[in-house]
Amino acid sequence: MVDVYWRIGTHGDQPSVRRPHAQTRGDWAPSEPGSITPGRRGGSDDGYTYVDHMADVAKAAESAGFVGGLLPSFPFTDDPFTTAALLARETRTFRFMVAYQPGFLDPVHAARLSASLQRATGGRLTYNVITGGGGPQQTWWGDTVAHDDRYARTAEFLDALKGAWGTEPYDLDGRFFDVQGAHLPPELAAQPVPEVYFSGSSPAAIETAGKHADYYLSWLEPFSALPDKFRQVREESAAFGRTPRFALRVEILARPTEEEAWAEIDRAWPAIDKAKLSFDATGDSVGAARARGFIKQPVTGPRDLEVEPNVWAGFHLLRGGPVFGLVGSYDQVAQRLDELVELGTDAFILAAVPHLEEAYRIGSEVLPRVTFDRTNSLTSTLRSAS
């Protein structure tokens, strides 16, 4: 079984290739020509908020066949734990993958908070544990801990959270956390600990993933680079007697034909910030550095960023987020997803904007074409990539 999640923006409707500088829904951006909601009624906003829009996206993704939705967390977003509690009442079986950095929560409080959400939602909480990529977004939190130490802190946090998730007193005299007699009441302790999707490409990250990750989560990279990355995680996990699963975060631009998909990219290209073509980045993220390493310079047009068939390294130029994603026809994108399953991928977090309409598009046009079958041989695309 391959779980497929959607992404639900927690920071306003993202720009799309059709409207590269516009946020058209919700109350995160001022109302302007072209805005869809809030609408005007009697000279005033109609009261449609971004919470309403997120609920619409969650319900659309649930009805389109996605198992759940990622709720991102950045300095400029709503809090994902709060958002999950709000959206759970709008859905039935939809899971909420809450992204958070462990360094900014007390692990025992996080255990109680999470167990309460599990109890309220019937076990629909999943973790996307992120440790942070350094730079301004890290110091915004007041966090100046060095790169490898951040991963050591994350590992200790998860030790403490899991240790406190029970009825017996738990102690930890750690480097980052001091826990004495921590435990949960029986009603909360009986709830399942959320599955952990864990991100990070550095040796320190992979070591922590080996100990704690139920799913090792990576941004999409060229297909030829993924097997070695997965192998490293398997080796680290084996040292802890664990068998990891793998998940990929994948941006999607799919249309009925390949020509139509690339026409969308061509339409957006004149509006991108050309300064970003240097792929310079702040912070100490190893994953971001890996992504830059796959790009051949100079970049003079959008097809220069197609590093493998249908694998395009320009999504971050259109909007914030991962560098790599898939561009092509419905059949091509489905085929590439099947190839990723063949490489060992057990779950996906897919995303496209606008989130609402694209949830229906990907759910109805792409997912039914994916077999999610590991018994097939790899296609010519993978052979050519190797």
Side-chain angles (χ1 to χ4, degrees):
M1 177 66 69
V2 175
D3 287 340
V4 184
Y5 287 80
W6 191 239
R7 182 186 189 277
I8 301 174
T10 49
H11 52 293
D13 192 38
Q14 283 189 296
S16 69
V17 291
R18 292 297 181 99
R19 294 181 58 80
H21 301 298
Q23 295 182 331
T24 60
R25 291 185 174 93
D27 50 6
W28 274 83
S31 180
E32 60 182 26
S35 295
I36 300 171
T37 56
R40 305 291 290 181
R41 299 290 185 273
S44 302
D45 289 348
D46 62 9
Y48 183 93
T49 69
Y50 194 64
V51 173
D52 298 315
H53 178 57
M54 287 191 292
D56 286 342
V57 175
K59 288 185 283 189
E62 184 175 44
S63 68
F66 293 92
V67 71
L70 168 67
L71 300 175
S73 178
F74 295 101
F76 49 83
T77 68
D78 272 322
D79 175 74
F81 278 103
T82 304
T83 301
L86 293 169
L87 300 185
R89 298 299 295 269
E90 302 287 339
T91 54
R92 296 294 178 266
T93 62
F94 201 68
R95 303 177 198 167
F96 295 96
M97 185 184 291
V98 168
Y100 72 99
Q101 293 194 41
F104 315 129
L105 286 173
D106 174 83
V108 181
H109 171 68
R112 186 182 69 162
L113 169 65
S114 301
S116 296
L117 269 173
Q118 290 288 65
R119 188 175 185 222
T121 65
R124 291 193 278 148
L125 176 63
T126 301
Y127 287 156
N128 174 21
V129 174
I130 51 179
T131 303
Q137 287 196 2
Q138 204 67 29
T139 56
W140 182 89
W141 301 94
D143 186 23
T144 58
V145 173
H147 178 277
D148 286 5
D149 289 339
R150 292 201 301 272
Y151 282 99
R153 180 179 62 187
T154 293
E156 190 174 292
F157 174 96
L158 291 171
D159 285 338
L161 181 146
K162 294 175 180 179
W165 200 301
T167 56
E168 296 297 320
Y170 170 79
D171 297 338
L172 174 66
D173 181 11
R175 177 182 171 193
F176 300 96
F177 301 101
D178 183 9
V179 175
Q180 302 295 323
H183 63 281
L184 297 178
E187 294 81 4
L188 297 184
Q191 304 306 313
V193 177
E195 288 183 323
V196 174
Y197 283 67
F198 188 91
S199 304
S201 296
S202 68
I206 290 174
E207 179 181 358
T208 301
K211 184 177 183 180
H212 283 293
D214 297 303
Y215 288 84
Y216 175 76
L217 174 62
S218 173
W219 284 0
L220 180 68
E221 294 182 351
F223 289 22
S224 55
L226 289 171
D228 185 61
K229 196 175 190 181
F230 290 174
R231 176 192 57 77
Q232 294 177 55
V233 177
R234 287 192 186 96
E235 291 175 354
E236 286 291 344
S237 298
F240 294 98
R242 306 178 73 247
T243 302
R245 288 167 286 181
F246 298 94
L248 289 175
R249 166 79 169 82
V250 184
E251 290 284 323
I252 300 286
L253 200 163
R255 294 295 184 266
T257 68
E258 182 179 16
E259 292 74 21
E260 290 175 86
W262 285 108
E264 293 281 357
I265 299 293
D266 291 337
R267 185 178 292 110
W269 189 258
I272 70 165
D273 181 357
K274 300 302 189 294
K276 293 183 179 180
L277 290 175
S278 65
F279 287 80
D280 292 334
T282 59
D284 52 16
S285 169
V286 173
R290 279 176 62 93
R292 294 195 299 274
F294 295 119
I295 309 303
K296 295 181 180 179
Q297 296 288 352
V299 177
T300 59
R303 295 304 285 260
D304 291 338
L305 295 174
E306 189 181 12
V307 298
E308 291 176 354
N310 306 107
V311 180
W312 191 61
F315 278 93
H316 71 299
L317 302 173
L318 304 177
R319 51 188 177 268
V323 172
F324 289 101
L326 299 177
V327 179
S329 69
Y330 299 146
D331 286 329
Q332 287 173 325
V333 170
Q335 183 179 353
R336 302 298 174 262
L337 292 174
D338 263 333
E339 291 166 4
L340 290 168
V341 173
E342 184 76 20
L343 284 176
T345 306
D346 301 286
F348 293 99
I349 303 170
L350 305 182
V353 294
H355 291 94
L356 179 60
E357 288 85 352
E358 291 293 329
Y360 287 121
R361 182 196 300 272
I362 303 303
S364 63
E365 299 290 354
V366 174
L367 294 189
R369 290 172 160 87
V370 184
T371 66
F372 298 115
D373 184 2
R374 286 205 173 92
T375 63
N376 297 325
S377 61
L378 298 186
T379 67
S380 59
T381 299
L382 277 178
R383 288 195 293 271
S384 65
S386 63

